[in-house]
Amino acid sequence: QEDDHNVDNEFEKPLSGEETAAFLNKSIDGVKEIFPLEISANIVMTKFWRVLRNRMKVALTPLGLGNVDDFSYLASMFQLKNPTKTELILAHLQEITTGTEIIKRLVNNGWLQETPHPTDKRSKIITLTSEGRIHVEKAFDVAMPISIDAYKKLNQEQLHTLYELLKTIEQENTEPYYTLKKEIGKN
């Protein structure tokens, strides 16, 4: 009988932390050689976001926030000030069905509240409950250090430059997306 822990295939062997880091660095370097720089940048940003998202998920789960989207929706309520359900979903660039499920979950937890829109019977106004405010403030205490730590290799000047560059391409790509979503919503 073969021991389950004895793996002959080198691709199935568990890697140590150092081996995993070396493998990931090698795979990122290989991407630059194969794809245009724009594609390589997309791959690096995607990997970075996935690592950051997973670290946040681990930290936020004990607070009852099983995913980063739940936290993002709650956190955005500080800036949006009583959006409609559609505005909240659109602010997160998500499909209506996905956003509706997130809002429903947050309402069921008592962190968001839906009330009828005063002038549009088809719409609902979303507000942050006092319990939701307390909850998201606890989540900020957990999530902010993770985000700050993710950029520790950069000094403030590099971080500012990175922010400005990312903001430029984000705006260039987000504005047409919002316009398209609004046009689709009219039909």
Side-chain angles (χ1 to χ4, degrees):
Q1 186 175 17
E2 201 171 310
D3 185 1
D4 288 338
H5 299 290
N6 184 12
V7 179
D8 291 331
N9 184 340
E10 70 179 272
F11 295 108
E12 294 179 11
K13 291 180 184 175
L15 299 176
S16 70
E18 289 178 9
E19 291 171 324
T20 301
F23 172 77
L24 290 174
N25 284 335
K26 183 179 176 187
S27 69
I28 289 171
D29 289 340
V31 165
K32 288 191 303 190
E33 297 167 9
I34 298 170
F35 297 109
L37 193 53
E38 296 85 353
I39 303 302
S40 298
N42 288 343
I43 292 168
V44 169
M45 285 188 292
T46 300
K47 285 183 176 183
F48 174 70
W49 169 239
R50 286 183 178 155
V51 168
L52 187 59
R53 181 190 65 205
N54 289 339
R55 286 182 64 201
M56 285 193 180
K57 180 180 177 181
V58 167
L60 293 170
T61 297
L63 297 175
L65 295 164
N67 62 64
V68 177
D69 286 332
D70 289 5
F71 170 65
S72 296
Y73 272 60
L74 289 173
S76 67
M77 293 300 293
F78 285 102
Q79 181 184 12
L80 293 175
K81 307 292 182 209
N82 304 325
T84 65
K85 187 186 280 191
T86 301
E87 289 168 340
L88 181 56
I89 294 167
L90 187 59
H92 290 275
L93 303 175
Q94 290 187 307
E95 297 298 322
I96 294 294
T97 53
T98 302
T100 300
E101 285 301 311
I102 293 167
I103 292 169
K104 181 179 177 182
R105 189 168 47 246
L106 297 172
V107 167
N108 288 340
N109 285 336
W111 302 331
L112 291 181
Q113 181 179 347
E114 292 179 300
T115 55
H117 192 283
T119 59
D120 184 354
K121 292 181 188 221
R122 299 170 297 159
S123 295
K124 301 263 188 195
I125 298 290
I126 305 295
T127 54
L128 188 62
T129 65
S130 56
E131 186 180 335
R133 178 177 294 279
I134 291 167
H135 203 73
V136 75
E137 286 172 355
K138 288 178 186 175
F140 273 128
D141 289 342
V142 170
M144 285 180 65
I146 293 170
S147 291
I148 290 168
D149 184 62
Y151 295 94
K152 68 183 173 201
K153 288 279 192 178
L154 303 179
N155 64 39
Q156 286 299 300
E157 183 179 337
Q158 291 169 323
L159 187 56
H160 180 74
T161 300
L162 176 63
Y163 173 79
E164 292 301 323
L165 292 169
L166 290 173
K167 188 68 179 163
T168 298
I169 60 174
E170 182 266 333
Q171 287 176 335
E172 178 71 20
N173 288 280
T174 302
E175 286 179 26
Y177 181 82
Y178 275 123
T179 302
L180 177 64
K181 283 289 224 184
K182 288 179 183 173
E183 290 302 315
I184 290 171
K186 288 180 181 178
N187 295 336

